[in-house]
Amino acid sequence: MANPTGPVLVVDFGAQYAQLIARRVREAQVYSEVVPHTSDVDDLLAKDPAAIVLSGGPSSVYEDGAPGIDPAVFSAGVPVFGMCYGFQLMARALGGTVENTGGREFGRTELNVTGDGGVLHGGLPAHHPVWMSHNDGVTKAPEGATVTATSPGADVAGFEDTERRYAGVQYHPEVAHSPHGQEVLRRFLHNIAGIRPKWTTTSIVDEQIATIREQVGDGSAICGLSGGVDSAVAAALVQRAIGDRLTCVFVDHGLLRAGERAQVERDFVAATGVNLVTVDARQRFLDALAGVGDPEEKRKIIGREFIRVFEQAERDLKAQGDYRFLVQGTLYPDVVESGGGSGTSNIKSHHNVGGLPEDLQFELVEPLRLLFKDEVRRVGLELGLPETIVHRQPFPGPGLGIRIIGEVTADRLETLRAADAIAREELTAAGLDRDIWQCPVVLLADVRSVGVQGDGRTYGHPVVLRPVSSEDAMTADWTRLPYDVLERISTRITNEVAEVNRVALDVTSKPPGTIEWE
């Protein structure tokens, strides 16, 4: 049987969905990690993997320099599952045949279950949709493997060898466009690989609390609390582990949305009992941003000022006690994207407005570094944090400073806060909070729009609504909000926010656009 303590390793062959695969494995209550395809086989096996998943990728197995996998992986006794490109690599390595048949498939494709469907496809509809993306195809399965599915462009769209614990599919089971894909992946993990489902929210909390206590010992820690879900959950975990030896520092830079300071000072403290120090630096940031309209310069100024304010707070705390540890809300995607995955990571550059200086004399505590955003939210609920914090929309560190196109002033911040509050209120009233990733409201402060209000001609500012749907913010699509909700938002903003006379809708996906305008 598979080693129940080792992770499932997702070998990334350049797939756009590698992190999504890891998340899907975790949804089957099995811990997973993403590793690059350049990893040495000895390094992979040193992790005692419960199984190895070979991701898709853009290459052809026949291309010169195409990424490969050491055949030793298949003789190590570790269960292996291949998807798309990884499926073809596995088939070829095990003695099957991969050819460019001209029967390429991209997008929605009908899968045909063959025979009894085996473990992977047994009991599923005989014909059901899957998401394909391939030119080459497996035309002959490896010796000893049973073909469980075909498609119009793939003679072998799925096979399994339960004795050697190998299986794979030509399609992408990890995407929502393959409606039975999660069940297929679950069957491999639980039924073919024999992995027990133990990765649960409760187990995550218990393991992290034990890890924090071991790392911190009888020391004290500081957490830069932004009000966002990541820092809030990280702080709640550490507070659960070490109690009042954690102090949170909340810097009010004046670039927050309406009610956010009160939410942190009231709701978070009430839920956790954490020690909180609030630094009011609103005027300092406004003074530093005066006359600056360039977005990159604004980011640099906000980051610089935040560092200075935090450093002073850190010095004040250290004068009162021995604070050797700094809590960071680093998530697993941050670790993967920075080339990490083991050991300590760099302080993430975008956390709490522009990052913290590397010469701060702290040892990092990163209780979320193994978790994806959805797992962080579940942990937050497990810890008793209020829904208003756990399901808060992502908000950039520089705050409203990068949602004002032009110079940041007190008046412009109040205008944007009012418009943003209305948009959030109406989305909540319509029950759409969970349907969108976030909905930035952008104030075009350097643009004047002609309008008619109260039988008079006006020259107000336009605001832009940017509702987007995403799973990880790496890619995003604009959210198709109901017209009546858009109408209410527009009507209220133009009626209630005197400086705004026009509301526009941004319908750009990412790519080519970014979620934020600056």
Side-chain angles (χ1 to χ4, degrees):
M1 294 293 283
N3 184 340
T5 61
V8 169
L9 300 180
V10 178
V11 182
D12 182 5
F13 291 103
Q16 59 178 316
Y17 299 125
Q19 288 191 34
L20 180 57
I21 295 169
R23 289 181 57 207
R24 296 294 184 243
V25 172
R26 295 183 185 199
E27 286 173 12
Q29 297 185 328
V30 176
Y31 177 62
S32 62
E33 295 179 4
V34 178
V35 295
H37 67 83
T38 53
S39 299
D40 185 87
V41 66
D42 291 336
D43 292 335
L44 297 180
L45 298 179
K47 292 177 176 285
D48 293 324
I52 293 175
V53 175
L54 309 179
S55 84
S59 303
S60 165
V61 295
Y62 295 110
E63 287 179 12
D64 290 338
I69 189 75
D70 191 322
V73 165
F74 301 101
S75 58
V78 179
V80 181
F81 186 76
M83 302 177 177
C84 194
Y85 179 77
F87 175 66
Q88 296 170 9
L89 276 181
M90 180 169 65
R92 195 178 184 201
L94 293 173
T97 303
V98 180
E99 300 179 272
N100 189 332
T101 63
R104 66 182 194 168
E105 294 172 313
F106 293 93
R108 181 185 174 94
T109 304
E110 193 81 358
L111 188 78
N112 305 306
V113 176
T114 60
D116 65 2
V119 176
L120 290 184
H121 297 103
L124 299 181
H127 310 283
H128 60 265
V130 295
W131 194 257
M132 290 280 197
S133 181
H134 69 100
N135 284 302
D136 301 335
V138 179
T139 56
K140 179 184 176 184
E143 190 72 29
T146 301
V147 177
T148 63
T150 66
S151 72
D155 294 340
V156 181
F159 68 68
E160 61 189 53
D161 183 334
T162 55
E163 183 174 339
R164 292 190 290 175
R165 294 185 295 171
Y166 298 148
V169 293
Q170 179 59 69
Y171 57 90
H172 287 275
E174 72 275 20
V175 302
H177 303 292
S178 298
H180 299 287
Q182 182 63 19
E183 173 62 15
V184 169
L185 181 59
R186 187 199 66 79
R187 291 180 181 187
F188 166 75
L189 295 168
H190 297 174
N191 302 338
I192 294 179
I195 306 172
R196 291 167 54 198
K198 300 195 302 180
W199 181 253
T200 65
T201 304
T202 300
S203 72
I204 293 170
V205 171
D206 291 343
E207 289 172 13
Q208 287 307 310
I209 288 175
T211 299
I212 294 164
R213 285 175 176 164
E214 180 179 357
Q215 179 184 3
V216 176
D218 59 359
S220 298
I222 298 173
C223 178
L225 194 65
S226 69
V229 62
D230 300 343
S231 64
V233 174
L237 267 173
V238 175
Q239 197 275 341
R240 182 72 63 90
I242 67 172
D244 61 8
R245 287 182 286 122
L246 169 71
T247 298
C248 291
V249 176
F250 176 66
V251 177
D252 183 356
H253 48 39
L255 307 174
L256 301 170
R257 294 179 295 188
E260 290 191 308
R261 175 170 171 172
Q263 185 181 80
V264 172
E265 293 180 327
R266 181 190 62 233
D267 298 343
F268 182 74
V269 172
T272 62
V274 74
N275 296 326
L276 179 67
V277 174
T278 299
V279 181
D280 190 336
R282 289 175 291 182
Q283 192 59 50
R284 174 174 183 156
F285 278 81
L286 276 177
D287 291 344
L289 290 167
V292 179
D294 179 76
E296 284 306 309
E297 186 63 21
K298 285 193 290 186
R299 284 181 179 272
K300 290 177 182 177
I301 290 171
I302 295 169
R304 181 194 70 212
E305 293 304 314
F306 180 86
I307 289 169
R308 290 175 178 172
V309 172
F310 190 89
E311 283 180 320
Q312 183 57 54
E314 172 256 332
R315 285 192 292 269
D316 293 343
L317 285 172
K318 278 204 166 185
Q320 304 171 27
D322 182 20
Y323 287 87
R324 295 190 297 112
F325 297 91
L326 176 66
V327 180
Q328 283 272 280
T330 310
L331 303 190
Y332 190 59
D334 303 318
V335 176
V336 174
E337 290 163 19
S338 65
S342 61
T344 59
S345 70
N346 292 328
I347 297 174
K348 61 194 237 190
S349 63
H350 59 282
H351 184 66
N352 278 344
V353 197
L356 300 175
E358 294 186 9
D359 60 356
L360 280 180
Q361 300 303 305
F362 287 106
E363 181 179 339
L364 290 183
V365 178
E366 299 174 299
L368 311 181
R369 63 177 283 107
L370 299 180
L371 306 183
F372 288 99
K373 178 75 80 170
D374 54 330
E375 294 172 318
V376 171
R377 295 189 195 281
R378 290 198 296 272
V379 167
L381 293 175
E382 178 82 5
L383 293 169
L385 294 183
E387 293 262 352
T388 51
I389 291 178
V390 172
H391 290 291
R392 176 183 186 265
Q393 292 181 12
F395 188 58
L400 299 180
I402 59 168
R403 292 183 179 175
I404 294 175
I405 309 302
E407 181 187 1
V408 177
T409 67
D411 289 343
R412 290 175 172 184
L413 282 167
E414 288 308 309
T415 296
L416 181 52
R417 274 195 197 95
D420 175 85
I422 290 170
R424 288 189 290 142
E425 287 170 11
E426 290 299 333
L427 290 172
T428 299
L432 295 171
D433 285 343
R434 305 289 181 85
D435 294 337
I436 62 172
W437 175 263
Q438 59 177 302
C439 184
V441 179
V442 181
L443 174 65
L444 305 186
D446 285 349
V447 176
R448 287 286 181 176
S449 170
V450 67
V452 177
Q453 293 172 297
D455 296 325
R457 193 176 181 87
T458 64
Y459 291 96
H461 296 292
V463 296
V464 181
L465 304 180
R466 177 72 166 129
V468 293
S469 300
S470 179
E471 290 194 336
D472 52 19
M474 296 178 68
T475 60
D477 193 15
W478 66 280
T479 307
R480 277 66 169 174
L481 294 177
Y483 288 151
D484 59 331
V485 175
L486 290 172
E487 181 183 23
R488 285 197 299 273
I489 293 173
S490 176
T491 299
R492 283 196 58 194
I493 289 176
T494 52
N495 283 346
E496 298 174 30
V497 185
E499 297 80 5
V500 176
N501 66 356
R502 190 179 299 271
V503 177
L505 179 66
D506 184 345
V507 295
T508 313
S509 62
K510 176 188 178 182
T514 55
I515 293 177
E516 300 291 344
W517 274 46
E518 289 195 342

